[in-house]
């Protein structure tokens, strides 16, 4: 759900915009796993059988708001200020039971494959930017200061709480320059941050594929990526031809992989 408010002042280019949003999700899943694995050890085959039932509840909610103000600078410039706040809560409960041949039911709790975990993430940012536009040159540059808090809590099988703090400067540069004769050059640079999801944080074993076991890491840090893109374009309307040359790259610190 989103709510948008925008006001345009009498002075051309002076505006105020606010945006509010709220979201919620809930997902219940039931999964049966039956696997028979055979391993070769000293020329003998060893057999291992898994017969399990997992119940997983994943729910959460979030809300946020951002506020932006613009002020014209001369006839070709525009100054912008912004503030943004976002909150996200996620909870994931996974209970796995092995098949019990005595009761003929899935009632034998496997604590190594069960976990109750919750995560709260708060991100705030404020910044200032400037946009300039004329016939041959247009560019946009800005700088945001971002600070975030990641709080993790595990309730089962062990009780544990952790809190992490992140602070980042987020610059941005975008430029378009007209070289004349239907030729132009564009440049774009923008870092971004990405927080780990609850499935990446929850330290419960995932044995969906018994031959490729994985689990989350509650000590994961926030990703910080640098993205750069440059494009040169040239066109010849008389020959209906267009030439493009593009160069781009990305570098990520504290990369999170599954």
């Amino acid at each position: 759900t989103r709510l948008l408010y925008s006001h345009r002042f009498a002075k051309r280019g002076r505006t105020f915009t606010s945006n509010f949003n709220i979201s919620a999700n809930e997902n219940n899943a039931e999964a049966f796993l039956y696997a028979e694995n055979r391993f070769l050890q000293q020329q003998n085959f060893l057999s291992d059988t898994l017969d399990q039932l997992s119940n997983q509840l994943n729910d959460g909610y979030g809300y946020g708001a951002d506020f932006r103000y613009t002020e014209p600078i001369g006839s070709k410039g525009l100054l912008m200020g912004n503030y943004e706040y976002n909150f996200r809560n996620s909870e994931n409960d996974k209970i796995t039971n092995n098949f019990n041949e005595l009761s003929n039911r899935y009632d034998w709790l496997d604590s190594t494959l069960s976990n109750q975990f919750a995560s709260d993430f708060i991100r705030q940012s404020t910044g200032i930017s400037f946009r300039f536009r004329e016939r041959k040159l247009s560019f946009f540059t800005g700088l945001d200061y971002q600070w975030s808090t990641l709080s993790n809590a595990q309730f089962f099988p062990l009780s544990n709480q952790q809190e992490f703090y992140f602070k980042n400067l987020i610059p941005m540069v975008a430029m378009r320059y007209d070289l004349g004769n239907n030729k132009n050059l564009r440049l774009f640079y923008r870092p971004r941050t990405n927080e780990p999801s609850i499935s990446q944080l929850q330290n419960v074993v995932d044995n969906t594929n018994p031959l490729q076991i994985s689990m989350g890491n509650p000590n994961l840090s926030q990703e910080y990526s640098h993205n750069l893109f440059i494009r040169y374009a040239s066109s010849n309307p008389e020959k209906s031809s267009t030439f493009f040359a593009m160069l781009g790259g990305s570098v990520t610190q504290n990369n999170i992989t599954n």
Side-chain angles (χ1 to χ4, degrees), residues 207-220:
N207 68 334
T208 305
N209 182 354
L211 300 180
Q212 190 174 352
I213 303 297
S214 64
M215 67 184 300
N217 180 4
N219 296 313
L220 287 176

Side-chain angles (χ1 to χ4, degrees), residues 67 80-84 125-129 142-145 147 170:
F67 306 92
M80 292 169 278
N82 66 278
Y83 170 77
E84 184 175 346
S125 67
T126 185
I128 190 169
S129 57
L143 180 65
D144 286 351
Y145 175 67
W147 64 103
I170 313 291

Side-chain angles (χ1 to χ4, degrees), residues 18 24 83 146 165 196 226 230 255:
S18 60
Y83 170 77
Q146 184 184 98
Y165 302 93
H226 302 266
I230 302 173
N255 187 38

Side-chain angles (χ1 to χ4, degrees), residues 153-196:
Q154 178 178 289
F155 307 104
F156 182 83
L158 300 174
S159 180
N160 184 34
Q161 291 187 351
Q162 294 175 303
E163 199 161 70
F164 303 94
Y165 302 93
F166 310 103
K167 297 179 181 179
N168 297 291
L169 287 174
I170 313 291
M172 178 180 177
V173 177
M175 184 197 72
R176 184 185 186 277
Y177 184 69
D178 186 357
L179 299 171
N181 297 323
N182 299 308
K183 301 176 182 178
N184 65 77
L185 179 68
R186 296 191 179 192
L187 180 146
F188 178 83
Y189 168 72
R190 174 69 169 177
R192 68 177 181 87
T193 60
N194 181 44
E195 71 277 6

